[in-house]
Amino acid sequence: MRSVLPIICSMIFLTGCEQSVSISTMCEADPQICVDIHDDNWCRKERKSLLLHNYNVKQTNQDIDKYKELIAFEEYIGCMSLASQIEHIKLKEKKTNRVNSLLNAEKRFTQLAENTKQSNNAHLLYFHWSRFLDKDAMAKFTAKEGSAELETAELQQFLASYYIKRDPDKTLGILFHSLELTPAGAELNHEVFESIANIFNDKDEYKQTYIWLKVLQLHKPDDQHLSENLINLFIEKHGLNIAFLDTVAEATLTNIQEGRFKAPQY
């Protein structure tokens, strides 16, 4: 029987039970990656994530793990692109090492992307369309619409990104379905709330727009683009009585967070 991992993990391990693999073990699985992408004071979180997903690919060779590694590469490259620009007055080699790590990461990313180009995995199909505008990949992805494979919140959101400029009403249904598929306690994508609010606003359905703006505000109160003044201007412009709408918004967010959301009629 598989043993239960201790609640408090050693500091040499990555956080999270799914990440309980030591850095040394990851480097043993692929020694060259730890040479190519060396340890640095910057981007350590992104490097650990990259090493973990590279290790998982070495263990499973599964397409979903390759997709996660590609995402980890993007996050590391984005972080190191900034870090590599920093000059060190006394330690010029720091910048050189960071540039080398960045270039090596970009090379590995390109190679992995090329190696996954023919995959039929839904995540990878969407990745190749969204990053490289691969029309064949998108055609294969949309052909999976209605299949069990796409019955996850994330993949429904990917599908919605394809339809949002083509068919807003259909997009709305897909986004609602993604929320229906969201399990309790899952990390929520605030862009779903933004998209729903924007679609309702374009349809001149201002009560629904306000409800989803409020859901977004409740979920992400520090969003600088959604200030209290902006909300108040929207209320005044459309003459909304918000007491009931606020109650609906609060209940909606709670249902989503608890995995009990049901798509409304629209």
Side-chain angles (χ1 to χ4, degrees):
M1 182 179 293
R2 190 174 182 179
S3 61
V4 179
L5 294 173
I7 296 176
I8 301 177
C9 299
S10 169
M11 291 300 291
I12 66 172
F13 291 98
L14 300 181
T15 59
C17 292
E18 75 282 3
Q19 296 179 328
S20 297
V21 182
S22 67
I23 296 294
S24 61
T25 298
M26 297 176 197
C27 290
E28 287 172 5
D30 183 357
Q32 191 60 45
I33 196 171
C34 292
V35 174
D36 291 343
I37 303 173
H38 66 85
D39 193 15
D40 191 278
N41 289 331
W42 288 81
C43 307
R44 281 189 163 178
K45 176 183 175 183
E46 289 78 10
R47 178 178 184 267
K48 288 179 179 180
S49 177
L50 176 54
L51 293 181
L52 173 67
H53 291 300
N54 179 72
Y55 173 81
N56 288 341
V57 169
K58 295 296 182 184
Q59 301 306 304
T60 70
N61 199 36
Q62 296 294 312
D63 281 351
I64 185 61
D65 290 319
K66 294 176 184 178
Y67 166 76
K68 292 176 181 178
E69 186 179 2
L70 285 167
I71 298 299
F73 266 118
E74 287 187 329
E75 292 173 350
Y76 177 82
I77 290 168
C79 179
M80 193 53 71
S81 293
L82 297 176
S84 63
Q85 297 173 21
I86 297 174
E87 293 281 1
H88 283 255
I89 297 174
K90 295 182 179 180
L91 300 173
K92 293 288 186 179
E93 68 273 14
K94 283 285 188 180
K95 181 177 180 180
T96 300
N97 288 339
R98 287 171 181 166
V99 170
N100 287 338
S101 290
L102 174 60
L103 292 175
N104 289 333
E106 289 175 338
K107 182 178 179 180
R108 279 179 170 258
F109 170 82
T110 300
Q111 183 177 11
L112 182 57
E114 182 63 28
N115 290 344
T116 57
K117 193 173 181 180
Q118 301 304 318
S119 171
N120 196 44
N121 174 271
H123 283 86
L124 286 172
L125 290 172
Y126 179 79
F127 182 89
H128 280 278
W129 174 71
S130 60
R131 272 55 167 192
F132 307 114
L133 299 180
D134 187 328
K135 294 182 179 180
D136 288 340
M138 195 66 234
K140 292 177 182 177
F141 179 80
T142 54
K144 292 176 181 286
E145 186 177 347
S147 70
E149 186 179 358
L150 294 196
E151 284 297 292
T152 72
E154 182 181 42
L155 288 171
Q156 287 295 303
Q157 290 162 24
F158 290 169
L159 187 63
S161 72
Y162 172 77
Y163 282 111
I164 193 162
K165 292 183 179 180
R166 296 170 171 83
D167 190 336
D169 284 336
K170 182 170 184 174
T171 302
L172 199 55
I174 294 171
L175 290 174
F176 282 149
H177 188 45
S178 79
L179 295 177
E180 290 179 320
L181 293 171
T182 301
E187 183 177 350
L188 302 180
N189 181 358
H190 70 275
E191 292 181 358
V192 173
F193 306 146
E194 291 178 4
S195 296
I196 293 173
N198 285 331
I199 292 172
F200 275 127
N201 191 57
D202 290 342
K203 291 161 62 70
D204 297 333
E205 296 187 25
Y206 301 120
K207 290 181 180 179
Q208 288 290 338
T209 302
Y210 174 80
I211 287 171
W212 288 97
L213 286 176
K214 191 65 179 180
V215 168
L216 175 60
Q217 186 185 49
L218 291 169
H219 171 63
K220 198 178 180 186
D222 58 343
D223 189 338
Q224 297 179 353
H225 300 292
L226 195 64
S227 67
E228 197 67 39
N229 285 339
L230 182 61
I231 290 284
N232 288 335
L233 285 173
F234 186 86
I235 293 168
E236 293 174 9
K237 180 178 179 181
H238 300 293
L240 301 177
N241 183 346
I242 64 169
F244 174 71
L245 301 179
D246 282 347
T247 300
V248 173
E250 291 168 6
T252 298
L253 180 58
T254 297
N255 287 337
I256 294 169
Q257 292 170 331
E258 295 179 355
R260 297 185 289 105
F261 177 82
K262 299 297 180 184
Q265 298 293 323
Y266 62 94

